[in-house]
Amino acid sequence: PVLKDPKVNDYLTAIFNNVLVIEETSLRSSRFNDISIKEMHTIDVIGNIDGATPSDVARTLMVTLGTVTTSLNNLERKGYVERIRSTKDRRVVHIYLTKKGRLVYRLHQRFHNEMVRQITDGMDDTEYQVMKKGLMKLYHFLEDLK
């Protein structure tokens, strides 16, 4: 189908860019100003996967294991994550958030939850389901490009 409203593309592009800028700005102006938005996304993945491994992080963020290793070295040095070798298989390393890491993770989650609340506030169930369907279609389109 033909694009019904060219503004939709403008909105999607602006939303994507604005979220990144706002996240970066809020990090810079917080007490967690020693981490980048990319490091925040690494923290986010670790917070979402219990006992995450470096491979889990690399796969989720679609980056190389070397990139993840560098990021984990920095985050460990800054006190956000800790690596713990598996007791079942000594070759496996699990990554966990420290207290500081859990705090910044929760603050980041709160930002995303507030964003979703702002979007969905006042929507009836039909509107919500239509929005959800559109977002799922966008999600699958982007997933297929990976």
Side-chain angles (χ1 to χ4, degrees), residues 20-105:
L20 290 177
V21 167
I22 290 166
E23 284 182 325
E24 187 81 48
T25 302
S26 66
L27 275 176
R28 290 282 158 257
S29 62
S30 76
R31 66 187 229 202
F32 305 106
N33 60 6
D34 60 337
I35 58 173
S36 69
I37 194 63
K38 288 183 180 189
E39 289 172 325
M40 184 63 243
H41 291 155
T42 301
I43 289 170
D44 210 35
V45 170
I46 296 165
N48 286 331
I49 302 173
D50 189 41
T53 64
S55 295
D56 293 330
V57 176
R59 189 171 33 260
T60 304
L61 295 177
M62 295 183 302
V63 296
T64 67
L65 204 48
T67 299
V68 169
T69 300
T70 300
S71 183
L72 291 176
N73 288 343
N74 290 333
L75 288 170
E76 191 172 39
R77 182 177 43 77
K78 295 172 186 177
Y80 290 95
V81 302
E82 61 182 340
R83 293 175 170 114
I84 299 177
R85 196 161 291 282
S86 171
T87 54
K88 295 178 183 164
D89 184 344
R90 301 289 297 156
R91 296 169 297 177
V92 176
V93 172
H94 295 282
I95 313 153
Y96 297 95
L97 298 177
T98 61
K99 184 177 180 181
K100 185 178 177 183
R102 287 190 304 274
L103 180 57
V104 73
Y105 170 76

Side-chain angles (χ1 to χ4, degrees), residues 111-123 131:
F111 167 77
H112 283 270
N113 291 339
E114 178 61 20
M115 188 170 54
V116 171
R117 193 186 67 68
Q118 285 289 327
I119 294 166
T120 59
D121 199 36
M123 282 186 179
M131 181 198 68

